[in-house]
Amino acid sequence: MSPVDGEHPPELLAHLTAERGWYDLATSHLFSWASVVRSEMVARVPEERRSGTWSRMRFSYYTRDARDRDYTVIWRESRNDFASPGAESSAEPRPDDDFAGVTGPEVVLDVNTLDAGTGYLDLGLSIVSPDEHLLAYSLDTNGNEVFTLRFRDLRTGADLPDVVEGVGYTGAWTSDSSTFLYTVPDASWRHERIRAHRLGDDAPVDVDVLVEPDRRYEVSLRRCRSEQAIVVLSECRDTTEAWYVDPTGADLVPRSLGGRRTGVMYRAEHVRDGDFLVVTDEDAVEFRLAACPVPGPGGQDHTAWREVRPEDPAERLERVDAFEGYVVATLRRGGDRMLRVLAADDLAARGTDVTSRFVGGEIRLARNTWYDAPAVAVTDESHTEPVVHAEVALADGSVRDTHRDEAPGHDPAAYVTEVRSFPAPDGTPVPATIVRHRDTPLDGTAPALLWAYGAYEYSWEREWEEPLPSILDRGVVFVHAHVRGGGECGRHWWLDGRLTAKQHTFDDLIAVADGIDAAGLVDPDRIATRGLSAGGLLQGAVLSQRPDRWRAVLAEVPFVDVITSMLDDSLPLTVNEWDEWGDPRVREQFDAMLAYSPYDNPPPAGSRPDLLVTGAVHDTRVLVHEPAKWVARLRETDPEWAARCLFRAETGTGSHVGPSGRLDHLAYEADVATWLLDRLGVSS
């Protein structure tokens, strides 16, 4: 069985089909309610949603999403007549006879027309060529996250005959728009190599640009905004090597920017006609900023670096983006993301900070492709505030809104958000964002739903999503717990929640649940918890360790058979996950994983909450047999409880995060929401 091609034994498929049948029967009393909730969610989707714009030399691009269409449409407008306000449209496009007839908006790609009839569709990369004549785009049509790459001639709207199968997420054009570089996954779904496709050639003659032999590492690439560099990255959980590739395509030979040293991470951004800026954790837990020259033919090591901004232990420096005369740094401080605008000639200065306008909000750079722009596009949102699109002037940091996403029938003023902290057993304050309807009291009477992730230094965003108000409007308090293992509070927050410190992740979620109980905020007998993937592991662990705490647990595509998966290096993601969960060949790490692995530690019989587990046959991140095994073991160890353990298996197309289409995904959200509401004793 190949984990990438999605083939499964007939016996397993029959078992999963039976499981899905039992789930459908056991929740049939909720079907009409789920239909109502789905209608509520769909009603909050605007008739049409338009993104912010990103500009190139000749055109400005944007997306438009219609309520009754599952997928996006990419548009562009000539910058000769582009009428939307904003600094990005102010530059003079150079004349080009090929574009003389373009006068109004035109479709670049309508993803809805690409539906292969499989029930699943995911657009991977979509990158316009430097001359803006071509679009490279990739599609996944079953959910296994392996894509087919195609090229569209934007002058005719027709696809070229070139087709490349089995590609990954990232890619980059050479400067002459003749060659496209892309990543290729191996049999275990590790992106192991960079290849180059010259338009007009057959895919089998594509050449390798870089092959990463170490199975702990994955490769990616991007073309820098300066248009003068392609950066290739090979990275595991705590070590990086980055290379410069000449975008002119003169030789496509990667030149190392700083070598590879175990335990040192770095990423690079190019400044036009100048140096690379390097964000690194070398001698800096929360990262610092260095600079280095463009490497020569033999590459260079870290001795070519020079520090330009030292580490601030109170701030996690995540990335920098270079523009003409300025650099925008993305940081985390006190659990919140912020942007800092720095003058390119004084990178050690204080700079100008830009923060979210919302309590519990998230501000981030949007897609910015124009190096000379005097303002950068940003988005700002929260769990109850739909996205605000704005521009930040680089000269003074002033913010000007361009437009807001609509959410028909939704009133953000009807909700209250606050951030509190609760002590973990070791005394560490664990922050949590608490969201409720303004009419829902925090007096110990309302039910609560907790959400957490807690892995890979990933900061799960506090984003606006149409499903949440359907929970809040029924009197449920939503608590987003920012547990260790994630990156919300910086690099140290991850370091203190991985490998042998992984138990802190589980302690933190339990501490938040116990904390909202001890503070008298919610009904202690009606607390549910939800998480996905690594967050599903979290749900499995807290189910085992504190089954009495929860009224219900929703574990989505959970990574729960930790020891078995980490011992099988043929599985997707196993080898490059050893640096996150532990290497079972190291006794201390094996013992730590065995102590919390949900499959190996079922909770005591007789005290278990209701449990809903999800999985998908095409999932390449958590193979579907893993949650299936866990469900079987849980039922075996508590037969009287077994009927309260449901497994919602996606037996057709579907990915790690569920159905692909907007409406299908909202139907999924309505299904699981009504199950949670029912378990919490909330009436329809």
Side-chain angles (χ1 to χ4, degrees), residues 330-413:
T330 299
L331 312 108
R332 298 200 73 91
R333 185 181 184 96
D336 294 323
R337 176 182 281 114
M338 58 191 295
L339 305 175
R340 180 169 295 154
V341 181
L342 303 167
D345 58 1
D346 191 6
L347 293 173
R350 179 69 187 89
T352 302
D353 291 343
V354 184
T355 59
S356 175
R357 71 194 71 191
F358 305 122
V359 175
E362 293 283 350
I363 191 167
R364 64 180 71 84
L365 278 179
R367 190 170 182 176
N368 287 275
T369 53
W370 188 240
Y371 189 85
D372 296 309
V376 294
V378 302
T379 60
D380 196 3
E381 63 186 306
S382 76
H383 279 308
T384 60
E385 294 277 358
V387 176
V388 177
H389 300 265
E391 291 178 339
V392 176
L394 294 172
D396 60 10
S398 60
V399 179
R400 182 179 67 83
D401 293 351
T402 56
H403 69 281
R404 293 175 178 247
D405 285 356
E406 296 180 0
H410 174 72
D411 178 13

Side-chain angles (χ1 to χ4, degrees), residues 596-653:
Y596 68 73
S597 174
Y599 181 82
D600 297 291
N601 297 277
S607 61
R608 300 179 182 181
D610 294 330
L611 174 66
L612 174 57
V613 181
T614 72
V617 296
H618 291 291
D619 189 350
T620 56
R621 296 178 182 268
V622 177
L623 301 189
V624 72
H625 71 264
E626 192 161 330
K629 278 181 60 179
W630 183 49
V631 166
R633 178 160 172 76
L634 289 172
R635 290 179 180 152
E636 178 188 40
T637 54
D638 193 347
E640 292 187 9
W641 166 85
R644 294 163 53 200
C645 175
L646 302 179
F647 184 25
R648 189 187 194 278
E650 296 289 351
T651 56
T653 54

Side-chain angles (χ1 to χ4, degrees), residues 262-285:
T262 300
V264 175
M265 302 193 75
Y266 64 97
R267 294 191 177 187
E269 167 75 331
H270 185 248
V271 177
R272 183 183 289 169
D273 299 324
D275 291 338
F276 280 93
L277 296 177
V278 178
V279 175
T280 180
D281 66 347
E282 180 193 40
D283 301 323
V285 172

Side-chain angles (χ1 to χ4, degrees), residues 5-24:
D5 63 22
E7 296 178 359
H8 295 283
E11 299 86 351
L12 175 60
L13 293 175
H15 174 76
L16 296 174
T17 300
E19 285 282 13
R20 182 56 182 262
W22 167 239
Y23 164 82
D24 289 340

Side-chain angles (χ1 to χ4, degrees), residues 428-502:
T428 300
V430 182
T433 302
I434 301 174
V435 188
R436 60 187 171 91
H437 193 281
R438 64 187 175 197
D439 295 334
T440 301
L442 288 179
D443 63 358
T445 61
L449 171 62
L450 273 64
W451 162 267
Y453 184 71
Y456 306 117
E457 200 187 352
Y458 182 76
S459 300
W460 203 283
E461 311 296 359
R462 297 174 291 191
E463 296 176 324
W464 157 255
E465 292 181 310
E466 289 87 2
L468 183 58
S470 290
I471 300 285
L472 302 177
D473 291 350
R474 289 173 168 83
V476 177
V477 177
F478 178 74
V479 182
H480 185 164
H482 309 295
V483 299
R484 280 175 284 185
E488 291 88 340
C489 297
R491 181 75 165 181
H492 75 280
W493 205 242
W494 172 65
L495 295 172
D496 206 17
R498 69 188 277 252
L499 299 178
T500 57
K502 189 61 194 172

